[in-house]
Amino acid sequence: MNFANTLCLLFSTASALVLPQTTPNCTSFVTSVSLASLNATFLNATYYPTGSLNVSAILNTVPFCEVYASVSYGTGNDTLAFALWLPDTLQYEDRFMAVGNGGMAGTIKIGDMLTQLNSGMGFAVAGGNAGHLASANIDGPGLYLPYLHDAAQTSAWIHNAISLFTPAAKALTAAYYGKTARYAYYVGCSTGGVQGFALALYHSELFDGIVAGTPATWYSHLALSFLWNAQHTNSTASNLTQAILNFTTTAVLDACDTLDGLEDRLIENPLQCNFDIDSLACNGSYSSLSSNGTIECLTADQIEAAKAIYAGPTRSDNGSELYPGYSLGSEIEWLTQEGPLADALSIPLLQNLVYDDLSYDSSTFNWASDVADVDRKAGSFIDAISPDLSAFRKHGGKMIVTQGWADPTNPAIWPIEQFERIQDFFDGDVSDFFNLFMVPGGGHCGAAPYYPGVPGTYHTVPKLVQWVERGETPDELLSTSPLDGSTTTRKLCAWPATARYVSGDASDWDSYVCE
Ligand SMILES: *[C@@H]1O[C@H](CO)[C@@H](O)[C@H](O)[C@H]1NC(C)=O
Ligand SMILES: *[C@@H]1O[C@H](CO)[C@@H](O)[C@H](O)[C@H]1NC(C)=O
Ligand SMILES: *[C@@H]1O[C@H](CO)[C@@H](O)[C@H](O)[C@H]1NC(C)=O
Ligand SMILES: *[C@@H]1O[C@H](CO)[C@@H](O)[C@H](O)[C@H]1NC(C)=O
Ligand SMILES: *[C@@H]1O[C@H](CO)[C@@H](O)[C@H](O)[C@H]1NC(C)=O
Ligand SMILES: *[C@@H]1O[C@H](CO)[C@@H](O)[C@H](O)[C@H]1NC(C)=O
Ligand SMILES: *[C@@H]1O[C@H](CO)[C@@H](O)[C@H](O)[C@H]1NC(C)=O
Ligand SMILES: *[C@@H]1O[C@H](CO)[C@@H](O)[C@H](O)[C@H]1NC(C)=O
Ligand SMILES: *[C@@H]1O[C@H](CO)[C@@H](O)[C@H](O)[C@H]1NC(C)=O
Ligand SMILES: *[C@@H]1O[C@H](CO)[C@@H](O)[C@H](O)[C@H]1NC(C)=O
Ligand SMILES: *[C@@H]1O[C@H](CO)[C@@H](O)[C@H](O)[C@H]1NC(C)=O
């Protein structure tokens, strides 16, 4: 035997000793799972060595086996496709992770799957398409959205999106590693955040830990709020241009930035900001535009429009709240509230799901008598607002919720209202299983463009794992990676605590305390 062969033998013996167990064959293990009993069908499998998958310039740092399968549901003719990524045995740590969808769903979020695969936490990662194809989401006033005309497909969009594929994905995971995963986690944002609440409410046995980002769980009324905002800005006089929105946010920050003792063009807690938009009203000395074309005040119609967006929709008969409004400091990104979001979500929901009439004219919506139609025809299929999380709590489940204060898509107040409803339901403190983290200057599922210095990555999943597996309740979270590319970190606090700057470098999360 020559030297090279001896060396080769030594190495292979050594690596055989280090490996706890060989990784199974990616393409043949599937035959050992009874997929039919799970309503599932195998589609294909592909093995990816490290660095061989490139999603938006991010490569896989872990070698894995990808399995695609589908699940039949409804009357048996509806199909949900899912992907499952199984790391090599050496990188697997006995944890199952599912990721959710965004918007109208229809696609598997492989970028989010890659984040979890690469997290170093040893997850087998699954994600599905929520039971319909994105190609069916041709969206806008007057357009037919097929999945909103099929009750099973409508339910699969949010309520059952994750639960439909989880049993099959868990069974495949167990077959691959020869044992059931010890822990199951879920992470999703926006529509995915609502899917997270739906899991806790309706499928409480499936997951041990859930991260629900930006959860507009009163989805049907979020849609009403988009319509409300569009209707209140739908004229030349009430239209809020980008220049007006900029002027307003600047004035709000001038008034409230330093309430927390730190001048950083950021409002720590907008609830403590008593900004009065009437202070921006035009008068004899100030007309809307200065001679050089700069905005210097708001007309009465513009002020009324802004007040409608801050307040949110109310019933026209008795004034009760139908959804909260948007927070101080979020104005600069309100343009999408002035029609685009109503066109993309509210009007399609009313025409397809509520009234089943593509010619339905949303300007005829009656803000008292028609609300019940929305609740019955849409709410019961797509909302997840019950505060009764007792089954999930009894199961030992833990939940982390995040919400950006400057979110221009979901009013930041709604997750706080839901948190308070949950506290009321449980008669007090729920921090043993449920914590909400509000993000000052945070946007919709991450950084807001106007607050580029605010870290947009919230380190929720590692905290959730520590909570579930070691019982360490999270009272603060690290956030990193602002849009400006700086190394700024921030401390996020379990609501109602907020971060107070103590001393040292203001861009270091250790310079803050939660109180
Ligand atoms: C895995 O199994 C397939 C199908 O049985 C086979 O063709 C392939 O060679 C196997 N791959 C490895 C690496 O053993
Ligand atoms: C399979 O589908 C049937 C019929 O829709 C349903 O009753 C059953 O619960 C499903 N099984 C699983 C494991 O999801
Ligand atoms: C596996 O199936 C999925 C879902 O149908 C498809 O998108 C994907 O391209 C397939 N992959 C391969 C390698 O065939
Ligand atoms: C990954 O894909 C991007 C395009 O999305 C490309 O610019 C980049 O070079 C690729 N990286 C590697 C290592 O292949
Ligand atoms: C399901 O599909 C089969 C075959 O395409 C068809 O005959 C049947 O009517 C469908 N059932 C329903 C409820 O759509
Ligand atoms: C805005 O006004 C136009 C023209 O009157 C009307 O066609 C449209 O439906 C209105 N949009 C909303 C969201 O009310
Ligand atoms: C509002 O202003 C924008 C430009 O900022 C314009 O595109 C839009 O048509 C205007 N809408 C109304 C209802 O005047
Ligand atoms: C509004 O403010 C943003 C961010 O500072 C800036 O990029 C944009 O040009 C401003 N737009 C107008 C119309 O003033
Ligand atoms: C007039 O409006 C400007 C701009 O909104 C404001 O600063 C000023 O205080 C107002 N003056 C009076 C007398 O109301
Ligand atoms: C425009 O005029 C206002 C006062 O009327 C002044 O404060 C502002 O600096 C001017 N802006 C520019 C760009 O000249
Ligand atoms: C307003 O009316 C609705 C629907 O009848 C009812 O649920 C709500 O409690 C009422 N609110 C108030 C403040 O009267």
Side-chain angles (χ1 to χ4, degrees):
M1 191 182 272
N2 68 30
F3 178 71
N5 277 345
T6 311
L7 202 63
C8 182
L9 186 70
L10 277 174
F11 271 111
S12 58
T13 310
S15 56
L17 286 175
V18 171
L19 283 172
Q21 191 189 327
T22 51
T23 293
N25 181 320
C26 177
T27 47
S28 65
F29 87 97
V30 171
T31 54
S32 68
V33 190
S34 164
L35 286 174
S37 68
L38 298 165
N39 301 332
T41 307
F42 169 74
L43 296 175
N44 60 58
T46 312
Y47 185 77
Y48 288 91
T50 300
S52 62
L53 179 70
N54 181 347
V55 183
S56 313
I58 309 225
L59 305 180
N60 61 310
T61 56
V62 170
F64 69 99
C65 168
E66 171 182 76
V67 177
Y68 270 97
S70 66
V71 176
S72 66
Y73 70 95
T75 53
N77 283 12
D78 293 325
T79 302
L80 180 152
F82 72 92
L84 172 64
W85 292 357
L86 300 158
D88 276 10
T89 305
L90 194 59
Q91 279 87 5
Y92 177 62
E93 292 182 36
D94 238 2
R95 297 180 177 122
F96 175 80
M97 165 65 82
V99 306
N101 303 97
M104 288 199 162
T107 44
I108 299 172
K109 295 194 92 178
I110 58 170
D112 290 359
M113 288 179 67
L114 189 55
T115 301
Q116 298 307 322
L117 182 81
N118 285 350
S119 68
M121 306 191 71
F123 294 122
V125 187
N129 69 359
H132 67 268
L133 299 176
S135 56
N137 295 345
I138 307 159
D139 195 17
L143 296 179
Y144 183 73
L145 280 168
Y147 76 96
L148 294 178
H149 298 268
D150 174 317
Q153 290 188 26
T154 305
S155 298
W157 171 26
I158 297 177
H159 283 186
N160 302 334
I162 311 304
S163 57
L164 278 170
F165 71 76
T166 295
K170 282 183 173 177
L172 284 161
T173 304
Y176 195 66
Y177 301 110
K179 58 183 174 182
T180 304
R182 286 183 64 201
Y183 301 103
Y185 298 98
Y186 169 81
V187 61
C189 192
S190 192
T191 292
V194 190
Q195 290 170 335
F197 272 81
L199 283 171
L201 282 172
Y202 309 124
H203 312 282
S204 57
E205 74 293 349
L206 290 178
F207 290 90
D208 303 300
I210 290 172
V211 174
T214 316
T217 53
W218 204 359
Y219 214 103
S220 61
H221 283 221
L222 173 71
L224 288 183
S225 91
F226 294 162
L227 182 65
W228 172 271
N229 295 337
Q231 289 183 349
H232 283 83
T233 50
N234 196 19
S235 71
T236 310
S238 63
N239 196 5
L240 303 174
T241 63
Q242 187 62 56
I244 292 169
L245 298 174
N246 282 21
F247 172 77
T248 307
T249 289
T250 301
V252 168
L253 289 178
D254 288 348
C256 292
D257 168 15
T258 58
L259 286 178
D260 61 348
L262 197 61
E263 191 178 338
D264 54 1
R265 297 309 281 170
L266 191 61
I267 306 175
E268 177 64 27
N269 181 358
L271 295 181
Q272 281 169 0
C273 172
N274 293 317
F275 178 77
D276 178 6
I277 189 141
D278 285 324
S279 67
L280 301 184
C282 299
N283 54 41
S285 349
Y286 289 82
S287 64
S288 186
L289 295 179
S290 72
S291 50
N292 61 24
T294 328
I295 302 287
E296 51 180 18
C297 58
L298 268 58
T299 65
D301 287 328
Q302 291 159 354
I303 286 184
E304 201 179 309
K307 282 182 174 173
I309 300 178
Y310 285 131
T314 52
R315 289 185 65 98
S316 55
D317 53 356
N318 66 13
S320 74
E321 177 186 295
L322 292 171
Y323 208 64
Y326 290 80
S327 296
L328 290 162
S330 69
E331 307 82 2
I332 196 160
E333 287 184 58
W334 283 357
L335 272 195
T336 57
Q337 293 295 340
E338 302 181 48
L341 286 168
D343 288 349
L345 184 75
S346 323
I347 296 171
L349 278 184
L350 289 169
Q351 293 180 335
N352 286 274
L353 187 56
V354 179
Y355 293 114
D356 194 12
D357 171 8
L358 296 183
S359 63
Y360 173 77
D361 177 0
S362 66
S363 66
T364 65
F365 185 79
N366 182 308
W367 289 90
S369 57
D370 290 349
V371 173
D373 296 339
V374 170
D375 292 341
R376 192 175 66 252
K377 302 294 277 295
S380 55
F381 286 100
I382 65 177
D383 293 347
I385 51 171
S386 167
D388 183 1
L389 294 169
S390 44
F392 183 65
R393 187 189 214 180
K394 202 172 290 167
H395 169 72
K398 311 292 181 200
M399 195 153 174
I400 290 178
V401 177
T402 58
Q403 173 63 52
W405 268 119
D407 187 337
T409 310
N410 291 346
I413 295 292
W414 172 249
I416 294 180
E417 286 188 8
Q418 192 171 16
F419 174 64
E420 289 170 352
R421 289 178 185 206
I422 293 168
Q423 285 181 319
D424 288 348
F425 178 85
F426 287 101
D427 220 4
D429 187 22
V430 294
S431 63
D432 63 298
F433 85 104
F434 187 103
N435 274 299
L436 165 66
F437 294 86
M438 298 299 293
V439 186
H444 187 66
C445 299
Y450 183 63
Y451 297 96
V454 172
T457 300
Y458 318 137
H459 293 233
T460 48
V461 172
K463 278 283 183 189
L464 182 68
V465 167
Q466 283 172 11
W467 196 8
V468 166
E469 299 182 15
R470 301 215 296 262
E472 294 166 17
T473 304
D475 45 25
E476 57 184 46
L477 279 185
L478 168 67
S479 65
T480 60
S481 313
L483 288 178
D484 67 10
S486 73
T487 57
T488 299
T489 55
R490 280 288 177 130
K491 187 164 284 187
L492 306 178
C493 301
W495 187 259
T498 56
R500 185 174 63 79
Y501 172 74
V502 183
S503 64
D505 180 356
S507 54
D508 179 354
W509 79 312
D510 272 332
S511 304
Y512 299 78
V513 291
C514 289
E515 59 186 26

